[in-house]
Amino acid sequence: MATPPNADQAIALNRFGLGARADDTAPADPRQWLLGQMDHYEAAPAAFASADTSAAIASQYREDRADLKADAKDDDADAKAAALKALRQKGQELYRTEVAMRVASALTTPTPFLERLVYFWANHFAVSADKPQVTILAGAFEREAIRPHVLGRFEDMLIAVERHPAMLFFLDQVRSAGPNSKLAERVERNGNKRKIGINENLAREIMELHTLGVRTGYTQADVTQFALALSGWSIGGLNAKTEGDETAGFKFRPPMHEPGPKTIIGKSYPQQGEGQARAVLHDLASSDATALHLATKLARHFIADDPPDEAVAALQAAFISSRGDLPTVYHTLIDLKSAWTPQPVKFKTPWEWTISALRGLGMTDVTDMPVAPMLNQLGQPVWRPRSPAGYDDIAASWAAPDALVRRVEVAQRLTRKLDIDPRQLAPRILPAVSTMTATEVGRAESLHTGLALLIVSPDFQRR
Amino acid sequence: MIHRRQFLRFAAAGAGSLLLAPHIVFANVATERRFVFIIQRGAADGLNTVVPYADPAYAGLRGDLAIDPATALKLDGTFALHSSLAELAKMYAAKQALFVQAVASPYRDRSHFDGQNVLETGGVNPYQLKDGWLNRLVSLMPKSKGDAIAFAPTIPLALRGGAEVTSYAPSNLKEADDDLLTRVSTLYDADPQLHALWSEAMQARGLADQQKAGQSPQDVGRTAATFLGRADGPRIAMIETNGWDTHSAQAGRLGNQLRGLDALIAALRDGLGDNWAQTTVFVATEFGRTAAANGTQGTDHGTASAAMVVGGAVKGGRILSDWPGLSAKALYEGRDLAPTLDLDALIATVAAESLHLDPELTMRTLFPDRPFNKALSGLISA
């Protein structure tokens, strides 16, 4: 098959970027355009100017909860339920605002490749906004633990992620305490029936999902030992009952930590306290298995559902030789020949499709658009994969009959008031547009039907 | 403008599909049997669902999480049902529900994602098979029995594969107009992947016939019943439920989950009316949870769990279990309920007996590398 003209431009804009905007000039040197973005990436762009820190969000939540509790009399079940509902609604409002900021950033960013990497890592370290505390902190999690580290070292991102309150809440780490910890002793001494013990969730998912990858040689005993090493990793603020504990954020609680050395994957960790789990994270981040796991996911995201072995090997080697320096890995990715195959290789996820459609249709301000519910309908609510594995990154997860109809319904809704000529727009947002799409778009009976067809066309559904 | 209903038939006809004249195609359906697979994603806690209240170790292991036998619904001298499963308890009393305890797929490593992969593909190891056992079950049925359907915006792995399936989930979006739908059909015509998906979607929309349905468990049960209840409707369905991963604050969360499941199955039964007599609902999860409660009022990833077989043709009112017990030395790896029954063989037997297929052939097709357990037969009335 002959390479269509402008194929590399289309790939840079669509496969690596967020889709072209109507007013974009196609990059003259597509590879250089991607590399250059690393020089002017902003971790905190203007779109997030009005965002709060997780500490501020958490203390507001704490106050609201206290107020609502005070208002609702203890013996009045209805009032209590109403108060809880009000608190949940407030959380949902904040969530929608956070989603709107994320969309605004995606529509206006001068560094779309790096935004894509932010989404990649946020999905790799997925939290799911199912618990109220995660609903309000998911946006802050991405801003605080992912964005600042996208051009840094993997280990730093890993540590920031595992210490963030959103992750500690999501994976049930907050109250995990060692069975021989000071807290356990105290509880037993007082004859309290409360059961003290660890929760394995965070330890397991760090090894299985965040670092080594599943089936990479660790055992149930390693998971349990790592969970013991993590005991005491908790938070202040949100649910704290004690005075002087208001600062929201990571907090190591020595009385909850299981004393003694732990042996994990054949290595003993003698460190005391907080440093013990940190030392484990350091080793996990530097493992070859982690490099392979991350290389495979990156290659799957940018190259193909079933990525070629040599691409994975090249990315793994870059990760190992640079000791997890992420820009080095991205350079290798852009240099891979297999990343530039002219046929579109990936079926866009609902987020990718929505953002590229909004950009392509020239939208920059979506304040009045219910984007969060729309992504819900399209099957990929933002920060809500319902699973610590994040959203799947293969076509079979997204290309389904009903999902396709919904894209058509959304396309109709997005385009019905627009006054743009789709025949002129097509080559601008799809530099390598197919003859079929161009023809059908041109045959539509109205401008808005033409525009809707353009953004649901086979060319536009893929990248 | 073409009337929407006609358009859908027209679009489907263009796709070379069966919906051109439903009353003809489906008139020769030989079986009226229905099979519904409900997956509990997240490793549902079987020990607090089908509660071994008489096991001497149960209350101690579970501590505050132990289900009080006084509030549970007694099934027999060993087991009781969680109190949120009132409708299922009635079905058990009416001999329409059978509970299976200490059952597991061949998977043993406690990763949700791998565990679900094994459960849904029917392989021995994760990622060994690419398609799902439910899809292969469809392939055993005569083609004219209609497609299988997933009540989800996307197709779950168990239903992915060579046999055609479709999906439907109620949407709050405004429906696209017929002109746009027609043009999209043309645009996708030459794209094999999108063309197939689009044709399926148009068929499903035709079956749904613009009904507006919500997304509560009752609504999902009702919607599934409308599809399965139609003479020309699908005969195999899969319903996904999430939220069973209860590492903390389990008591309330599990109660809600089970209430939802109970309501869903009850709505399915009520919606199916007379067809309930021809229906089998199979409920299973990827693995169970630790026998002991953890330190945060929850349970961690375990091994064996409970499964449910429910429906008008089920020879119910009994528990199927080779109960291993919860004593320290009976626990798998010192922590989990030990598996004593094979979930794969159970699925194959229930599916085969429900749909009048040969059980051994069904086993070979659905779970190619797994032993067939003849002793499990006789679960569904002929």
Side-chain angles (χ1 to χ4, degrees):
Chain A
M1 185 175 167
T3 301
N6 310 324
D8 280 4
Q9 292 178 333
I11 288 166
L13 288 164
N14 296 313
R15 186 172 305 162
F16 288 99
L18 296 168
R21 279 191 297 246
D23 59 353
D24 270 343
T25 311
D29 182 342
R31 286 170 180 78
Q32 198 48 51
W33 178 69
L34 295 173
L35 292 170
Q37 292 183 27
M38 291 194 232
D39 299 332
H40 46 270
Y41 167 70
E42 283 182 87
F48 297 104
S50 63
D52 276 331
T53 61
S54 55
I57 293 168
S59 68
Q60 184 65 50
Y61 176 79
R62 188 176 147 89
E63 270 177 41
D64 290 346
R65 208 165 68 153
D67 288 353
L68 288 166
K69 271 194 171 165
D71 290 350
K73 289 218 169 57
D74 279 350
D75 53 351
D76 187 343
D78 286 352
K80 262 186 162 172
L84 266 176
K85 194 175 167 205
L87 189 64
R88 261 203 311 274
Q89 272 170 356
K90 219 180 150 185
Q92 287 299 328
E93 275 166 38
L94 174 60
Y95 166 81
R96 283 193 290 270
T97 308
E98 290 276 5
V99 172
M101 286 191 276
R102 195 193 208 222
V103 172
S105 171
L107 298 186
T108 54
T109 179
T111 56
F113 172 47
L114 288 163
E115 291 294 305
R116 277 284 298 284
L117 289 164
V118 168
Y119 311 145
F120 172 83
W121 289 113
N123 191 55
H124 175 74
F125 291 114
V127 295
S128 190
D130 302 317
K131 299 175 184 171
Q133 298 92 336
V134 186
T135 304
I136 58 172
L137 290 177
F141 171 78
E142 188 170 297
R143 279 197 304 281
E144 294 166 0
I146 305 292
R147 297 193 72 94
H149 300 288
V150 143
L151 287 177
R153 294 170 63 243
F154 175 73
E155 180 178 343
D156 295 332
M157 192 191 289
L158 176 69
I159 287 172
V161 160
E162 311 306 354
R163 289 164 58 92
H164 197 278
M167 184 63 81
L168 295 166
F169 261 113
F170 176 51
L171 292 179
D172 307 294
Q173 174 62 28
V174 173
R175 288 190 182 77
S176 183
N180 302 301
S181 62
K182 291 217 165 60
L183 178 68
E185 276 177 18
R186 197 189 309 149
V187 166
E188 196 175 347
R189 217 173 27 243
N190 298 342
N192 195 326
K193 262 182 51 196
R194 195 176 137 209
K195 189 181 153 81
I196 296 295
I198 50 166
N199 184 310
E200 292 179 354
N201 206 9
L202 180 67
R204 178 180 300 281
E205 304 307 13
I206 287 175
M207 294 207 268
E208 177 180 333
L209 300 172
H210 299 171
T211 60
L212 304 176
V214 70
R215 282 167 274 119
T216 46
Y218 58 88
T219 64
Q220 176 60 45
D222 294 320
V223 172
T224 307
Q225 286 280 301
F226 186 23
L228 289 170
L230 279 165
S231 56
W233 279 45
S234 184
I235 58 146
L238 271 181
N239 281 0
K241 286 179 186 127
T242 29
E243 283 294 316
D245 198 18
E246 283 88 5
T247 316
F250 178 81
K251 186 178 170 75
F252 181 69
R253 298 181 182 276
M256 295 169 83
H257 185 66
E258 175 78 0
K262 318 285 185 303
T263 301
I264 297 157
I265 319 180
K267 179 171 169 181
S268 177
Y269 292 87
Q271 293 84 350
Q272 298 294 309
E274 181 193 347
Q276 191 171 52
R278 208 187 250 271
V280 181
L281 286 175
H282 169 79
D283 287 347
L284 292 174
S286 333
S287 159
D288 288 0
T290 298
L292 177 63
H293 181 208
L294 299 175
T296 309
K297 285 188 77 172
L298 265 170
R300 178 174 300 129
H301 188 65
F302 286 102
I303 298 175
D305 285 5
D306 200 358
D309 293 343
E310 56 279 14
V312 174
L315 291 168
Q316 184 192 16
F319 188 95
I320 292 171
S321 65
S322 71
R323 295 165 184 261
D325 178 60
L326 298 176
T328 306
V329 178
Y330 307 152
H331 267 93
T332 305
L333 173 70
I334 292 168
D335 282 343
L336 286 170
K337 196 161 171 281
S338 52
W340 297 86
T341 51
Q343 294 78 22
V345 282
K346 294 290 289 188
F347 191 82
K348 288 178 183 173
T349 65
W351 169 262
E352 290 165 356
W353 179 79
T354 304
I355 293 301
S356 60
L358 294 172
R359 286 170 63 93
L361 295 172
M363 299 182 185
T364 48
D365 179 8
V366 289
T367 324
D368 298 328
M369 196 184 286
V371 186
M374 198 163 90
L375 280 154
N376 218 346
Q377 293 293 329
L378 289 170
Q380 192 182 24
V382 181
W383 301 308
R384 206 173 179 207
R386 318 300 299 255
S387 149
Y391 283 111
D392 240 4
D393 201 6
I394 56 170
S397 301
W398 303 113
D402 205 68
L404 206 53
V405 177
R406 291 183 186 205
R407 289 189 189 190
V408 173
E409 288 170 348
V410 167
Q412 174 170 269
R413 183 162 147 176
L414 290 179
T415 54
R416 70 188 155 186
K417 289 180 186 156
L418 295 179
D419 187 21
I420 311 171
D421 189 328
R423 289 165 300 184
Q424 283 158 25
L425 185 62
R428 297 192 72 88
I429 64 173
L430 289 172
V433 66
S434 69
T435 318
M436 175 72 177
T437 295
T439 308
E440 289 304 320
V441 162
R443 278 182 188 163
E445 66 176 8
S446 67
L447 289 184
H448 67 253
T449 300
L451 289 170
L453 282 176
L454 177 58
I455 60 171
V456 300
S457 66
D459 322 31
F460 201 85
Q461 298 275 12
R462 304 190 177 104
R463 59 174 175 84
Chain B
M1 182 178 279
I2 317 170
H3 185 269
R4 179 175 181 83
R5 185 87 190 128
Q6 285 173 342
F7 161 74
L8 290 165
R9 289 181 187 183
F10 172 73
S17 78
L18 305 168
L19 208 77
L20 174 61
H23 58 281
I24 297 172
V25 172
F26 294 106
N28 61 4
V29 170
T31 178
E32 282 301 311
R33 295 295 186 109
R34 279 98 170 144
F35 182 78
V36 182
F37 174 45
I38 301 181
I39 187 168
Q40 299 170 295
R41 290 196 194 279
D45 183 9
L47 286 175
N48 274 14
T49 304
V50 180
V51 184
Y53 71 91
D55 190 289
Y58 172 75
L61 282 167
R62 286 298 169 108
D64 290 348
L65 278 190
I67 303 288
D68 181 354
T71 65
L73 310 159
K74 293 265 170 62
L75 297 172
D76 64 10
T78 310
F79 297 102
L81 208 55
H82 191 289
S83 60
S84 296
L85 297 173
E87 289 295 325
L88 280 164
K90 284 186 209 159
M91 293 181 221
Y92 180 88
K95 302 206 184 303
Q96 295 191 348
L98 172 84
F99 301 112
V100 188
Q101 190 46 290
V103 63
S105 83
Y107 179 73
R108 292 290 173 272
D109 286 337
R110 305 187 185 91
S111 150
H112 289 305
F113 321 107
D114 278 6
Q116 286 169 27
N117 186 280
V118 169
L119 170 60
E120 296 189 66
T121 58
V124 175
N125 297 305
Y127 307 101
Q128 168 203 351
L129 299 180
K130 298 286 177 219
D131 56 353
W133 63 260
L134 197 50
N135 189 284
R136 295 195 295 280
L137 180 64
V138 175
S139 76
L140 288 177
M141 310 277 292
K143 182 69 188 102
S144 61
K145 302 302 179 287
D147 293 343
I149 188 160
F151 294 100
T154 57
I155 310 277
L157 182 56
L159 258 175
R160 289 187 203 161
E164 281 189 6
V165 300
T166 190
S167 71
Y168 174 80
S171 151
N172 297 329
L173 295 166
K174 186 180 179 302
E175 286 184 355
D177 61 43
D178 288 354
D179 175 55
L180 181 55
L181 294 177
T182 314
R183 288 171 193 277
V184 171
S185 296
T186 313
L187 189 55
Y188 289 172
D189 213 29
D191 188 297
Q193 181 193 28
L194 296 180
H195 171 77
L197 296 172
W198 188 250
S199 313
E200 292 295 342
M202 290 300 103
Q203 279 189 65
R205 294 260 149 156
L207 289 174
D209 205 11
Q210 310 198 48
Q211 65 161 323
K212 291 285 171 223
Q215 297 178 36
S216 73
Q218 289 93 327
D219 291 337
V220 172
R222 257 196 297 270
T223 306
T226 357
F227 278 83
L228 291 163
R230 289 174 62 121
D232 60 355
R235 290 294 173 262
I236 292 182
M238 173 166 173
I239 301 174
E240 297 183 273
T241 61
N242 292 305
W244 299 92
D245 194 18
T246 49
H247 285 279
S248 63
Q250 172 173 307
R253 287 165 62 192
L254 185 67
N256 282 336
Q257 290 289 117
L258 290 173
R259 239 186 318 280
L261 180 69
D262 196 59
L264 194 162
I265 297 175
L268 191 57
R269 174 198 60 195
D270 297 345
L272 279 170
D274 291 345
N275 288 319
W276 179 245
Q278 317 265 22
T279 303
T280 305
V281 180
F282 190 91
V283 186
T285 188
E286 68 262 26
F287 47 76
R289 311 194 67 82
T290 45
N294 67 16
T296 56
Q297 292 301 308
T299 48
D300 290 317
H301 299 186
T303 307
S305 191
M308 305 178 185
V309 189
V310 194
V314 172
K315 294 185 187 170
R318 54 193 174 129
I319 312 277
L320 189 65
S321 181
D322 176 7
W323 181 243
L326 294 172
S327 69
K329 72 177 201 314
L331 293 180
Y332 178 75
E333 295 188 344
R335 55 179 260 152
D336 304 336
L337 174 62
T340 51
L341 281 180
D342 177 30
L343 183 61
D344 291 351
L346 180 70
I347 291 173
T349 304
V350 171
E353 292 187 350
S354 299
L355 298 168
H356 293 159
L357 300 168
D358 174 64
E360 291 191 46
L361 170 69
T362 306
M363 186 75 201
R364 276 200 304 281
T365 311
L366 270 49
F367 306 100
D369 299 317
R370 301 282 298 148
F372 179 56
N373 183 354
K374 269 198 179 121
L376 291 173
S377 66
L379 303 181
I380 313 287
S381 303

